[in-house]
Amino acid sequence: MIKTPDLIASLSTNLTPVRRLRPPLMRAFGWLLLAAMVLTLLAVAQGIRPDLAQRLRDPAFASCMAASALTGILAAVAAFLVSLPDRSRLWLMLPLPSLILWLSNIGYQCLADWVSIGPEGIGMGEAARCFATLVLTSLPLSLALLVMLRYAAPLRPTAVTIMGSLAVAAITATALSFFHTMDATVMILMWNIGTAVIFVGFAGTFGRTIFRWVTPRVDAPH
Amino acid sequence: MSGDRGSQTPVLKLVAGGERIDVSTSPPNRDLDWAILMARAQDGDGAAYQRLLQEITPYLRSLAARRHRSADDIEDAVQDILLTIHSIRHTYDPTRPFGPWLATIGERRSIDRLRRRSRHQRRETPLQPEHEAVADVGVDMEGKSNRRELERAISDLPPAQQMAIELLKLKEMSLKDAASASGMSINSLKVNTHRALKNLRKILLGRNEL
């Protein structure tokens, strides 16, 4: 084992200047800007669903969308705040109210639609396009967030990963309800909850290992 | 922030002074000093960084001592914290107090280390004597038989010599104690021990030759 004074000496010789992180709110805003960009590109590529204006007049649909978008924004802010060592963990509660609103709306729709329509309306083509939207939205956003928050690995990996995944899942869900008409089918509801559960579940199980491959190695002083 | 490097010191004094009440673990002045040193270290000042790390080490050691017991563990934890500080030093914002930043890193790393240790320990079993595949029979038997042979040889000696060997060699008493315990004079104890050893050598060697 190297002696502590020797370690300190080796760390402080050849010390390179570092660029301080920008304030967490600004960084969260940057990431949300990227999310908005991804959504716009998808809108250009796939086209917004034709009945969006009409659906937005439905209070259940509108509040569900607003709640999922708000959950995405607040969870991103919380992730950036909690990733810093000197901020309170209580910020994790920030997206909770909108999350509850979002999930309770999905639950209600799910029940209502189960009774009235049934699962036979799902076409394979639509499901595949739905999946494409899902991957196209969540993959770049997850990777960007992973790189932006990599320094949190030795501190609060699980909390930060869960918050980040929630942000990605909520924004993906918002994107899905923008682009796909089959919000009344069981399929999209499964996606909506499924993305959130899969992301959060994976994050909870692999929270530590997810960060590891982008983390600067802690045990190698230079 | 990062723009006003030249006028950093007065800015730090003002802001850190207002918020340092909640830093219970480090005295206020020290916190302010550390914040300034860290801000300089972020700009690449190696000497300030070395001073900072040297000054926080005792504090980190006390922090680690709350979670770990052995000195090696504590030192390992301190080094782990120092390395973590080094790798994420860019996350410190000089307009905020240094104490909470440092304390969280110390806490998180100590707890993480504790968890990792307990995970390891759950997979490990301490090595017990019954885990030995080959019992240590031979040596022990030899020791026992030697002992028995010696005891028999001693019992063949005249009583005075037996007493002298018993007290001086087996019980390892001093001459004075042995003299008062046996009632023999120191001189006769010496003589008897000498004779006893000579006789024992004769008895044991004679037996081995047979």
Side-chain angles (χ1 to χ4, degrees):
Chain A
M1 194 175 90
I2 182 173
K3 286 211 180 77
T4 306
D6 295 343
L7 177 74
I8 291 175
S10 79
L11 287 179
S12 51
T13 44
N14 303 325
L15 183 72
T16 47
V18 286
R19 234 193 63 205
R20 287 171 199 134
L21 287 181
R22 298 193 182 288
L25 283 179
M26 201 191 276
R27 302 178 64 232
F29 181 73
W31 183 78
L32 288 167
L33 216 60
L34 175 77
M37 215 167 70
V38 170
L39 289 195
T40 319
L41 284 176
L42 270 178
V44 171
Q46 299 199 349
I48 295 174
R49 52 189 288 183
D51 60 342
L52 183 67
Q54 180 204 334
R55 291 291 286 139
L56 276 174
R57 257 174 254 139
D58 175 7
F61 177 82
S63 67
C64 183
M65 247 186 100
S68 69
L70 194 65
T71 306
I73 293 168
L74 293 181
V77 169
F80 277 94
L81 280 171
V82 169
S83 72
L84 293 171
D86 54 351
R87 307 296 166 123
S88 164
R89 286 168 75 89
L90 289 177
W91 284 112
L92 290 174
M93 302 287 143
L94 187 65
L96 213 58
S98 61
L99 177 67
I100 291 169
L101 187 67
W102 175 36
L103 290 184
S104 65
N105 259 312
I106 287 180
Y108 173 72
Q109 274 187 352
C110 184
L111 265 168
D113 293 329
W114 195 278
V115 177
S116 61
I117 293 178
E120 68 272 0
I122 308 161
M124 214 29 231
E126 189 63 22
R129 246 174 295 152
C130 205
F131 185 72
T133 315
L134 176 87
V135 174
L136 283 175
T137 324
S138 56
L139 204 63
L141 292 184
S142 303
L143 286 176
L145 205 57
L146 198 63
V147 172
M148 285 177 93
L149 293 176
R150 64 189 181 281
Y151 58 82
L155 301 170
R156 298 161 172 162
T158 313
V160 172
T161 321
I162 286 184
M163 264 311 112
S165 310
L166 183 63
V168 173
I171 284 178
T172 310
T174 315
L176 283 175
S177 51
F178 257 125
F179 301 126
H180 294 279
T181 45
M182 30 172 261
D183 63 283
T185 64
V186 179
M187 180 59 106
I188 191 145
L189 293 174
M190 261 165 54
W191 281 136
N192 269 359
I193 301 187
T195 34
V197 168
I198 287 172
F199 274 114
V200 173
F202 262 104
T205 320
F206 301 111
R208 278 149 213 288
T209 30
I210 280 176
F211 273 123
R212 201 153 291 160
W213 61 279
V214 278
T215 312
R217 294 234 66 86
V218 169
D219 49 8
H222 51 85
Chain B
M1 278 289 303
S2 51
D4 51 1
R5 279 180 194 175
S7 59
Q8 231 160 26
T9 317
V11 174
L12 281 168
K13 252 176 199 158
L14 280 172
V15 179
E19 287 186 84
R20 72 197 174 198
I21 305 133
D22 53 349
V23 188
S24 52
T25 37
S26 61
N29 282 333
R30 213 170 54 167
D31 187 62
L32 180 58
D33 284 348
W34 289 351
I36 294 169
L37 287 176
M38 190 52 164
R40 285 201 193 133
Q42 285 177 326
D43 293 336
D45 183 347
Y49 192 47
Q50 184 163 19
R51 219 185 98 197
L52 173 73
L53 295 186
Q54 278 165 354
E55 282 184 16
I56 61 175
T57 301
Y59 168 66
L60 295 181
R61 212 167 271 141
S62 74
L63 209 65
R66 280 189 224 156
R67 310 251 173 218
H68 302 284
R69 266 192 223 134
S70 86
D72 275 354
D73 272 346
I74 293 173
E75 215 51 30
D76 269 354
V78 168
Q79 297 193 0
D80 186 16
I81 299 169
L82 288 174
L83 285 167
T84 307
I85 290 172
H86 184 74
S87 67
I88 62 167
R89 61 191 190 280
H90 62 291
T91 66
Y92 175 63
D93 177 355
T95 60
R96 296 176 67 86
F98 185 75
W101 186 84
L102 182 66
T104 307
I105 296 177
E107 275 301 284
R108 297 304 313 163
R109 292 318 295 158
S110 290
I111 292 173
D112 218 34
R113 182 168 199 83
L114 215 58
R115 280 202 196 121
R116 230 179 314 144
R117 258 184 73 97
S118 69
R119 255 205 305 275
H120 274 293
Q121 276 170 354
R122 234 177 293 143
R123 278 190 245 120
E124 288 169 353
T125 328
L127 195 63
Q128 304 285 354
E130 56 260 34
H131 290 130
E132 290 282 351
V134 181
D136 218 1
V137 184
V139 180
D140 205 16
M141 289 298 279
E142 205 175 329
K144 267 186 192 159
S145 80
N146 277 346
R147 190 188 167 84
R148 218 171 294 138
E149 206 173 333
L150 184 64
E151 276 167 0
R152 221 179 322 139
I154 291 174
S155 68
D156 287 348
L157 296 172
Q161 291 177 20
Q162 262 185 50
M163 175 85 84
I165 279 287
E166 176 88 11
L167 295 180
L168 288 172
K169 297 295 169 191
L170 298 182
K171 290 191 178 164
E172 295 183 338
M173 289 165 96
S174 69
L175 273 171
K176 210 173 153 191
D177 290 346
S180 67
S182 62
M184 294 157 80
S185 72
I186 289 181
N187 215 15
S188 82
L189 271 173
K190 277 184 184 168
V191 172
N192 275 304
T193 313
H194 180 72
R195 284 184 189 154
L197 288 175
K198 216 164 146 188
N199 284 334
L200 281 176
R201 200 171 293 135
K202 213 183 291 169
I203 295 169
L204 292 172
L205 282 176
R207 268 186 202 161
N208 283 350
E209 277 165 14
L210 280 176

